[in-house]
Amino acid sequence: MKHNWKFKKGEMNDAYRVDFDDSDFRIVSVPHDYAIEGPFSPDNDKQGEKVEADGIHDKITHVGRTGALPITDWAWYRKEFFVDKDAKNVFLEFDGIMCNSTIYVNETEVGGRIYGYSSFSVDITSACKFGENNLLAISVRPEGNASRWYPGAGVYRNVRLVQKGSEYFPYLPLFIRPAVKGDCAEVAFDINVATNEQEYMLDVAIYDQEGKLVASQKYTSTKAKFSGELELENYHLWEILNSYLYTFEAKLYIKGKEADIAITKFGIRTIDYGPDKGLYINNKYTKLNGVCMHHDLGALGAVVNISAINRQIEKLIDIGVNAIRFSHNPPSPEYLDACDRYGIVTIDEAFDEWKIQKVSNGYGKHFNQEGEKDIRTMVKRDRNHPSIIMWSIGNEILEQRLIYGWKYAKFLSDICHEEDPTRPTTAGFNNTEGAFTNGLAAEVDIVGANYKPHQYVRFHNTYPDAVLYGSETSSCLSSRGHYYLPKRYPSIAEPMEDLQMCSYDMEGPAWAYYPEREIYVQKKNDYLLGEFVWTGFDYLGEPTPYRLEWPSRSSYFGIYDLAGLKKDRAYSYMSAWTDKEFIHILPHWNWNEGDVVDIHCYTHAKEAELFVNGVSHGIKHKDENDELLSNRLIWKYIKFVPGEITVVAQDKTKMSATIKTAGEPAQIKITPERTEIKADGEDLIYFVLEILDKDGVLCPKANNRVDLTVDGGEYVAADAGDATSLRMFTEPYCEAFSGKLVAIAKSAAAGTLTLKATAPELGEATAKIQVK
């Protein structure tokens, strides 16, 4: 049910009616995020309250916290759909509606969901007209002061119409539990069946990744839940960055006739952990090189798009990421599917609030009514994904401070164990000492500590039975390619006049620290399971430290910026988490005469030499006993002289990297990130545009406006990663930031897609890709 939805924003109380005049509604496709259309405004969801979760205990006027986009507008969706005359049971499945949704079919209210991150199914059988068109109407009525980041708005995840016979598999019918037993894998399974106790036959089969049948069995039963087990010999393990997925298929037969089919992917892997030994996946010691990720996809907003998700994962893998914590809510099924395919392990997280609210209309006001339902849905929906290794019951929950807070933790953890006894539970505790003393930490299997690298050893010694990891780390702030002089080492980030942050990777809010601190502690303590950096990508909303200042509407926390371009600190993690050989120098080399600059270098090498216009400024060495210098090289107080700086690795590679002083902007270079895309109207191509001088040197301060047109396809959006830009992403132009920007396009027709970029002072550039 992707296309031909009618949509309009507004408080129309009778838009569920069949005879409602929707002639002024516009046609959209779903998934659809109407808030990303803007405009940006400081008055959108302006929050005038304290922000305890951010360490602010007095009320402030917080602009931009949820992206400065119109997430609180009410809206309606209407769509006609046809129901077969032979159908007996009809359902609508929603992967998520943001938020406070009410569903109507032919004017009858049939369901809805408060929590925008929950998937759900609605039985619409009694409201349907069979063999005819039917009217689906959806009311979306979000509240202000309900989120701490940009949540999106509308039917932002996929919708399915499901038609069944009299006997069928209900919503989320399969639970697959593979286990390694010696040389075999035993695949236990539960199958839910709706048959009113009529006898049925199940034909169960497992296919390998190449589609070959590797196990099958037929069963007869009358039970509403059937449990069985199949054995696999010569099985393949699902491993980190080496995925192997099996397909489980169940067919339902009534009196010899096929009535329904249910299919899911699964993988075979083991997980083991302990307070002293750390984490083992498939009996291999594993350190989690993880990032936290919010759910928006930058310029696309909160809508689900598989190619955009794949792009994020591939970029994260490039710097050594092997794990994602979905913060602070269940992700889309498509994101988990992608992690399954790529071999990325994940933490699936339920809530940012329990009963005590962080914002006045946050989830806490619904927790008593909705909490159990939402966390059960999360586990049931996602428990077949091999990528998930932990269920997180909450993030920085304020109940950490309560002596009875353990009761909430036990309640939620028990639900996870009941629905899935195969995986451990966890939570991200920022008041970690409170979580221990008030018993919350004892109610989860693995204890996540947010921003506590200096306390891991004490926790380990004081609570020797606790299994520990960094559930949220670093929170370093930066704007890609943007630097200030003189440089302060290290410091609490203060608002700057241009509302940017320095890319030396040394500043953050009061709870934060530079990346090397966590990297250093993790390497020295094998019992720690790893870390999850806040965050992998910049995201819309939470423009810390700019709470009062405008314009600033997106975060500075990411290793990648909002456009998906690497910040300098990406190379810090690449150095720590990969074996790649590289040299990355910062900052740029376009300064003023007399400026004194500190030059930093991220590299695989343990030592390197700096040259300025051919003159050596000495060799610097990494120091394994120093937090900061264990993973970066620093030459201080280098006087700027126009020309070039070169760093040469002092190892067998003798690799070098050079940065040159750029002249005036003179041309545009376009680099497609892929050579071809599918002609399905959904697969996206991302083009990276760079502003260069006449000699082909990147102009690091260029902010030229570039006009964008697409031939042979459709222009989608553009972004440069500038958190202060108020240009809407879909405008057919974009101003460069630190010399770069990204343009996005798609096509529904095979052929050649061409992006043309023009600017009066830069001329024209084009790039082509194939659409197949």
Side-chain angles (χ1 to χ4, degrees), residues 475-588:
S475 266
C476 194
L477 299 172
S478 62
S479 301
R480 175 187 50 79
H482 197 81
Y483 312 91
Y484 302 103
L485 297 179
K487 180 67 201 78
R488 300 170 296 170
Y489 290 133
S491 59
I492 295 176
E494 298 177 356
M496 306 298 289
E497 284 189 13
D498 60 3
L499 305 188
Q500 301 293 348
M501 282 282 104
C502 184
S503 195
Y504 270 103
D505 309 325
M506 301 287 286
E507 295 178 273
W511 63 83
Y513 44 90
Y514 47 77
E516 285 80 6
R517 174 165 294 172
E518 188 76 29
I519 292 169
Y520 178 85
V521 174
Q522 290 285 341
K523 284 187 174 180
K524 291 218 174 258
N525 296 282
D526 289 342
Y527 59 83
L528 294 169
L529 274 57
E531 68 163 312
F532 290 85
V533 180
W534 190 264
T535 52
F537 279 64
D538 277 338
Y539 54 93
L540 290 161
E542 282 197 314
T544 309
Y546 301 110
R547 299 182 174 94
L548 307 175
E549 297 81 5
W550 179 257
S552 187
R553 46 64 169 166
S554 56
S555 84
Y556 303 79
F557 289 114
I559 298 172
Y560 287 85
D561 71 12
L562 196 70
L565 297 171
K566 281 179 182 169
K567 299 183 184 179
D568 291 303
R569 112 176 70 113
Y571 296 92
S572 174
Y573 292 106
M574 186 184 291
S575 173
W577 292 348
T578 78
D579 296 325
K580 293 183 178 182
E581 296 177 343
F582 70 95
I583 296 174
H584 177 77
I585 309 167
L586 63 140
H588 56 69

Side-chain angles (χ1 to χ4, degrees), residues 408-468:
Y408 292 93
K410 175 177 172 51
F411 171 69
L412 296 171
S413 191
D414 285 351
I415 290 172
C416 293
H417 289 143
E418 179 184 335
E419 298 293 348
D420 176 20
T422 72
R423 289 179 178 84
T425 58
T426 188
F429 297 121
N430 62 326
N431 178 8
T432 318
E433 192 64 59
F436 276 118
T437 58
N438 292 324
L440 289 83
E443 297 299 337
V444 296
D445 303 302
I446 299 176
V447 179
N450 287 9
Y451 309 108
K452 298 297 186 294
H454 53 295
Q455 295 194 47
Y456 290 145
V457 174
R458 183 176 69 82
F459 290 152
H460 183 61
N461 293 333
T462 306
Y463 308 102
D465 294 329
V467 183
L468 296 166

Side-chain angles (χ1 to χ4, degrees), residues 278-297:
L279 175 67
Y280 285 78
I281 295 178
N282 298 329
N283 296 319
K284 297 177 184 177
Y285 177 79
T286 302
K287 185 73 83 166
L288 298 174
N289 302 330
V291 295
C292 299
M293 291 287 286
H294 274 319
H295 68 291
D296 77 64
L297 294 172

Side-chain angles (χ1 to χ4, degrees), residues 11 48 81 96 131 224 235 287 292 303 318 326 338-339 356 435 527 542 557 590 634 649 676 695 705 765 772:
E11 301 180 17
F81 64 97
Y235 62 88
K287 185 73 83 166
C292 299
V303 296
D318 181 54
F326 293 109
C339 290
I356 304 177
Y527 59 83
E542 282 197 314
F557 289 114
N590 272 59
I634 302 175
E676 65 180 44
D695 297 318
R705 168 176 164 152
K772 296 185 177 180

Side-chain angles (χ1 to χ4, degrees), residues 96-140:
I97 302 175
M98 190 64 68
C99 56
N100 299 334
S101 61
T102 307
I103 317 296
Y104 301 86
V105 171
N106 299 327
E107 302 188 358
T108 299
E109 181 178 335
V110 293
R113 200 75 161 208
I114 292 172
Y115 195 36
Y117 298 104
S118 271
S119 298
F120 62 101
S121 175
V122 177
D123 185 342
I124 63 172
T125 307
S126 62
C128 282
K129 295 183 293 184
F130 293 83
E132 299 182 41
N133 280 331
N134 293 258
L135 176 70
L136 166 64
I138 302 173
S139 167
V140 184

Side-chain angles (χ1 to χ4, degrees), residues 40 61 141 155 233 381 438 483 486 529 549 618 671 697 699 716:
F40 290 109
T61 300
R141 298 190 173 190
V155 186
E233 296 180 354
R381 189 197 73 173
N438 292 324
Y483 312 91
L529 274 57
E549 297 81 5
T671 305
V697 177
C699 299
V716 175

Side-chain angles (χ1 to χ4, degrees), residues 57-110:
H57 301 285
D58 298 316
K59 289 186 177 182
I60 63 169
T61 300
H62 198 313
V63 296
R65 189 182 196 191
T66 54
L69 288 161
I71 64 166
T72 63
D73 288 351
W74 291 9
W76 281 89
Y77 293 84
R78 289 164 57 90
K79 179 176 175 58
E80 287 190 352
F81 64 97
F82 185 82
V83 174
D84 296 338
K85 65 179 182 179
D86 296 329
K88 302 299 181 184
N89 291 278
V90 187
F91 305 89
L92 287 168
E93 294 179 358
F94 299 90
D95 288 341
I97 302 175
M98 190 64 68
C99 56
N100 299 334
S101 61
T102 307
I103 317 296
Y104 301 86
V105 171
N106 299 327
E107 302 188 358
T108 299
E109 181 178 335
V110 293

